[in-house]
Amino acid sequence: MIIVDHPVIDSVPVLHVVKEEFKERKLPFIIFVHGFESAKEHNLHYAYLLAEKGFRVVLPESLYHGERSAELNQHDLMFRFWEVIIQTIHELNILKNHYVHIGLADEDKIGVVGTSMGGIVTLGALTQYDWIKAAVSLMGSPYYVEFAKGQVRHFQELDVHIPFTEDELNEQYEALIPYDLSKHIEKLQNRPLMFWHGKKDQTVPYNPTFHFYNKIKERYNEHPEKLLFLADEKSGHKVSREGLLKTVEWFDTWLS
């Protein structure tokens, strides 16, 4: 039987999903990060299938989302997008440390995965943490600075009020550089990395992520099996069932 607990770890509400028979064992550990304007429970189907394979899975609630939602309208939340991402990256370390400390997570077998904003978090986290042993980005982008600039251009085209001065925007771009995987490719260290992206995605564009994949392929020449890009010809900003099953297969291959 799969069980779902609902602890709060250092102010971060999570769903903790594991096979009941393995509840007290040290297990390979996966953190699954949800998308923008989503919530942790929306990805329980991933956690269920991963738990069936013997993983301990934790789905955190990101800042201003789900249980942690503030009285923010969509406009205000949009302009906190990068604050949420950076905060979530920092909180991944808190969660990892907690489960390793209590003896439930195998620190040599830890993975991170996420959809959309969660995929962006995953790719940024690879710049910060060597303890991530395998990762999956579902509809994410490694280009933090360029993606942020593209968001601003989009808001300007829509004549949306931007509550930052030009100098403040430039400061924010600078603050994203340490997390921008496209600027720190060496930090990949040949770790297993899978991408899934729909070619018709209008929210997180397909082409930049595919370009990044082609850019890093040569770094995996000795271990090409550790890098995978799955493109879906028909999908927009929604992961297909194939993407779900390949995610489970990826971690089963590299963390079991």
Side-chain angles (χ1 to χ4, degrees), residues 176-210:
L176 294 178
I177 290 174
Y179 304 92
D180 189 319
L181 186 57
S182 73
K183 300 182 184 300
H184 302 284
I185 291 174
E186 74 284 353
K187 294 195 174 183
L188 279 170
Q189 300 174 347
N190 290 319
R191 286 177 284 181
L193 175 60
M194 181 189 121
F195 296 89
W196 183 97
H197 221 114
K199 285 193 172 183
K200 296 183 179 180
D201 195 330
Q202 299 297 310
T203 304
V204 182
Y206 167 88
N207 284 332
T209 306
F210 187 61

Side-chain angles (χ1 to χ4, degrees), residues 219-231:
R219 290 178 171 265
Y220 285 81
N221 279 343
E222 293 185 13
H223 299 282
E225 72 280 4
K226 290 185 176 182
L227 183 66
L228 178 65
F229 193 104
L230 294 173

Side-chain angles (χ1 to χ4, degrees), residues 97-142:
N97 287 340
H98 172 80
Y99 281 95
V100 168
H101 178 71
I102 63 176
L104 295 179
D106 183 342
E107 60 187 327
D108 294 321
K109 296 182 178 181
I110 298 178
V112 178
V113 52
T115 54
S116 190
M117 179 185 79
I120 295 171
V121 166
T122 297
L123 295 170
L126 288 168
T127 69
Q128 304 298 304
Y129 306 128
D130 291 339
W131 51 257
I132 299 174
K133 305 304 182 184
V136 175
S137 168
L138 304 164
M139 310 181 297
S141 173

